[in-house]
Amino acid sequence: FPSHDITFYRKKLWLIANGIFYKRNIVPSRSLKKKYATYQSILIDGTEDVIDSFNEAGGVGILHKNVTDTIQTLNKIFKNH
């Protein structure tokens, strides 16, 4: 598995390449992600159980399947707020 530094770098590049410049927390462990859940926080992750636990903890989780759908979901969220 890639190190946290490599994962952080790749995710940061993806965000920049897709025009997403919002504050971000890139969390190294799936079990820690739900600890960041608030009604104002969004998690984008490709693992359904991680998204479920984040949503249950009060966050807004987006199950990432492809870039187009994820960007569309983000746009909907921000248009409603």
Side-chain angles (χ1 to χ4, degrees):
F1 294 104
S3 74
H4 176 64
D5 290 339
I6 292 171
T7 301
F8 178 87
Y9 178 75
R10 288 178 182 167
K11 288 180 180 185
K12 184 178 174 183
L13 285 179
W14 183 89
L15 292 167
I16 291 168
N18 287 282
I20 302 170
F21 300 101
Y22 305 104
K23 181 180 181 275
R24 61 196 169 272
N25 289 326
I26 299 176
V27 180
S29 171
R30 60 187 285 133
S31 63
L32 297 175
K33 292 179 181 184
K34 65 184 174 187
K35 293 182 180 187
Y36 290 89
T38 71
Y39 73 96
Q40 294 181 315
S41 58
I42 298 171
L43 172 68
I44 301 170
D45 196 277
T47 311
E48 192 167 353
D49 65 302
V50 171
I51 292 299
D52 290 343
S53 65
F54 192 81
N55 289 337
E56 289 168 8
V60 177
I62 299 171
L63 181 61
H64 177 72
K65 295 182 180 181
N66 63 69
V67 173
T68 301
D69 289 347
T70 298
I71 298 296
Q72 287 177 351
T73 302
L74 284 168
N75 286 333
K76 288 177 189 175
I77 290 168
F78 288 108
K79 283 181 184 178
N80 291 329
H81 287 89

